[in-house]
Amino acid sequence: MKMVMAIVQDKDSNKVSSELAKARVQATRLNSAGSFLRSGNTTFMIGVEDDRVEEVIEIVKTYSRARKQFMTPPLSMDSIIDSGSSFPIEVEVGGATVFVLPIEGFYHF
């Protein structure tokens, strides 16, 4: 058995959740936020048998897409000297970050 932890952008979380449900994969959803853009994410904790890990990863991959977004870098003392750093920059956000971890035990009470 494995624990799949998938971090997806909030914009994609409902579709990922519904596709996991269609595949009869149970998941726990946690609200989370990234430290770089501080935008909303959803972290899915999914316990699955080893033979279903690739299926789960494929669902997350298919329904989590990357997007381009503009952000203004935070101001710091160094940026006061360089006035050009306060202009918005384009960054890629979204997609998914997926971790697959071994499970030593599973208990349901």
Side-chain angles (χ1 to χ4, degrees), residues 90-101:
E90 189 175 40
V91 295
E92 188 171 296
V93 298
T97 301
V98 179
F99 301 92
V100 179
L101 310 164

Side-chain angles (χ1 to χ4, degrees), residues 5-106:
M5 294 183 66
I7 304 165
V8 303
Q9 197 173 31
D10 277 345
K11 292 176 183 176
D12 298 324
S13 64
N14 287 335
K15 189 63 177 170
V16 170
S17 182
S18 68
E19 292 299 320
L20 289 170
K22 283 181 191 175
R24 296 185 180 266
V25 174
Q26 295 181 346
T28 299
R29 292 174 60 152
L30 303 169
N31 293 330
S32 55
S35 62
F36 179 61
L37 296 176
R38 293 182 176 81
S39 59
N41 295 320
T42 300
T43 300
F44 290 91
M45 293 176 47
I46 308 160
V48 296
E49 297 297 329
D50 290 357
D51 62 339
R52 296 198 72 194
V53 170
E54 290 304 317
E55 175 188 1
V56 168
I57 291 172
E58 192 58 36
I59 290 170
V60 173
K61 180 179 175 183
T62 301
Y63 296 100
S64 301
R65 67 180 191 86
R67 301 167 176 81
K68 297 216 183 255
Q69 174 178 315
F70 284 94
M71 68 156 293
T72 304
L75 291 177
S76 68
M77 292 304 284
D78 294 335
S79 67
I80 294 171
I81 297 167
D82 179 19
S83 62
S85 65
S86 63
F87 292 106
I89 57 171
E90 189 175 40
V91 295
E92 188 171 296
V93 298
T97 301
V98 179
F99 301 92
V100 179
L101 310 164
I103 294 177
E104 291 187 29
F106 173 77

